Amino acid sequence: MLHVATPTPTPSPGPVEEAAEVVVQAGLSLLYVAWRVGAGALLGLAAAAALALVLSVLGRRRALLAEFRKYSRSTLYLGGALTGAWLGLQYAYLDHLAPDWVALVSRLLLAGVVLAGAGVVVALVKAVEASIVTAVEDDGDLRRANRIKTQAQVLRRVIQVVIVVCGLAGAAMVFPSARLAMGSLLASAGLVSVIAGLAAQSTLGNVFAGLQLAATDAIRVGDVVKADLDQGTVEEITLTYVVVRIWDDRRVIYPSSHFTTNPFSNLSRRGTQLTGTVSMQLDFRVPVERLRAELERVVAQAPGWDGREASLQVTDAVAGVVTVRIVLSGRDTSSVFDLQCYVREHLLTWLQMEVPEALPRTRVVVEADPGVDARAALEAASGGAAAGLPGARPL
């Protein structure tokens, strides 16, 4: 009689064994993903380094490529590493379905690639601006260089804002939930735009004013302007504000709309040469011809004089003094100011040393009764009003 052996039933794994298996599988999957991602990132860094080397070699002949390498070096390495990591992750799960957490990591890497690409495009725009400004400055035409520099600066900022906004929108569109949100936002764009326009009227006004300043060439970087009570050099023009550096190195910031809605003086609109005046109040006994000759001698030795104008005129003669106005010309605002101080100091020294009687003074006329000495009458009245007049003497 045959006996058939019955197989011994295999015990099913318990909860602990199942949890351990899940942990092991997750660890192996994580190591597998990390290895692929790391290898891809290293390959991306190598590709970025090779591209940077090519740009360095070609940049010796082309200024645009040299500027692009300078502005995009860090962004290229970051973009190369993120692109390589994303491609490595895609290759790791090319033949089978990826877990949910891997899909999330993939989307995050892709969003980083989009942002890095936007950074590279921004670097390219900066490189184009720098190469154009450098080429114009090499021509030697300072006014044309300032005009193009201002326009390129404002245009670059506009393009940069557009690129950044598009990059952020592209990175957000990587996520499915963000796509739905963007669709709802676009559906209500009409109402949102009206509310935003009402809430940001001043900001939008400054933006359009900045574009108007760049388009109309009203002011340029490097121009000497006088706005309100401040006079200085335009240092920076943005879409919303203008930075003016005044004589004590302080920076005064004006909204762009200030220069489109208020009158201001552009002292270097057609050139940097300027004219300044020096006014002096002197006594009636001043020798005008000798003073004019001394002015010619002084300005001939002044380093800031450009040789165009140095004249002296008596413009007024009232209230016991004559007003002498001196007109001087210089290469720029700073030179004219230094020249005014130089001439004023030297002429004052010359008057003190050579013709002190030309300095202004107060005269007192004492009328005495007939037969009374005028000096004695003045001494008798010295305790009165005449005492308050220093140096008072009979005419």
Side-chain angles (χ1 to χ4, degrees), residues 43-343:
L43 291 177
L45 286 174
L51 180 59
L53 181 60
V54 171
L55 291 175
S56 178
V57 174
L58 297 179
R60 299 172 184 174
R61 299 182 179 179
R62 285 185 166 273
L64 176 60
L65 296 179
E67 295 290 344
F68 178 63
R69 178 182 179 275
K70 181 177 72 173
Y71 286 110
S72 65
R73 187 172 182 178
S74 58
T75 311
L76 276 179
Y77 285 117
L78 178 61
L82 290 174
T83 303
W86 180 74
L87 292 176
L89 186 60
Q90 298 302 309
Y91 180 75
Y93 289 93
L94 190 61
D95 298 329
H96 50 281
L97 187 63
D100 293 339
W101 68 271
V102 174
L104 177 60
V105 173
S106 177
R107 292 191 182 96
L108 290 174
L109 290 176
L110 183 57
V113 170
V114 173
L115 293 177
V120 172
V121 178
V122 169
L124 178 61
V125 173
K126 290 182 178 180
V128 172
E129 178 203 6
S131 60
I132 291 175
V133 171
T134 302
V136 174
E137 288 178 346
D138 292 340
D139 292 340
D141 190 346
L142 182 59
R143 290 178 52 217
R144 180 170 177 265
N146 288 337
R147 182 179 70 253
I148 294 180
K149 183 178 180 180
T150 302
Q151 295 174 347
Q153 190 179 79
V154 174
L155 184 61
R156 188 259 302 168
R157 285 192 169 93
V158 173
I159 297 176
Q160 184 174 337
V161 170
V162 173
I163 293 172
V164 170
V165 171
C166 292
L168 292 174
M173 294 293 285
V174 171
F175 302 93
S177 57
R179 296 175 190 171
L180 297 176
M182 293 291 288
S184 302
L185 181 62
L186 292 176
S188 60
L191 179 61
V192 172
S193 61
V194 172
I195 296 175
L198 293 176
Q201 287 184 3
S202 61
T203 302
L204 293 177
N206 284 326
V207 171
F208 287 115
L211 293 174
Q212 181 179 347
L213 290 177
T216 58
D217 195 29
I219 56 175
R220 303 173 293 249
V221 174
D223 279 354
V224 179
V225 298
K226 184 175 182 180
D228 295 337
L229 299 178
D230 297 314
Q231 176 177 321
T233 304
V234 177
E235 193 172 65
E236 185 179 3
I237 299 177
T238 68
L239 287 178
T240 56
Y241 62 88
V242 177
V243 180
V244 178
R245 176 174 56 83
I246 59 178
W247 66 274
D248 57 356
D249 282 338
R250 287 185 295 126
R251 271 67 175 175
V252 182
I253 299 177
Y254 293 95
S256 298
S257 58
H258 181 86
F259 291 93
T260 58
T261 58
N262 298 291
F264 64 94
S265 300
N266 191 336
L267 304 181
S268 57
R269 170 69 177 173
R270 297 297 180 186
T272 59
Q273 294 178 330
L274 294 175
T275 302
T277 60
V278 175
S279 295
M280 303 181 70
Q281 291 186 334
L282 303 174
D283 192 79
F284 276 91
R285 291 179 292 181
V286 58
V288 177
E289 292 301 328
R290 290 180 61 189
L291 184 61
R292 186 175 288 117
E294 180 64 17
L295 170 66
E296 295 176 356
R297 186 190 69 82
V298 169
V299 296
Q301 301 174 355
W305 186 51
D306 61 358
R308 290 187 301 118
E309 181 73 25
S311 61
L312 184 148
Q313 294 176 318
V314 177
T315 59
D316 208 348
V318 293
V321 294
V322 296
T323 302
V324 176
R325 188 184 69 171
I326 301 171
V327 180
L328 303 167
S329 63
R331 294 186 298 269
D332 49 40
T333 306
S334 177
S335 299
V336 170
F337 180 77
D338 293 340
L339 182 61
Q340 289 172 310
C341 298
Y342 180 85
V343 169

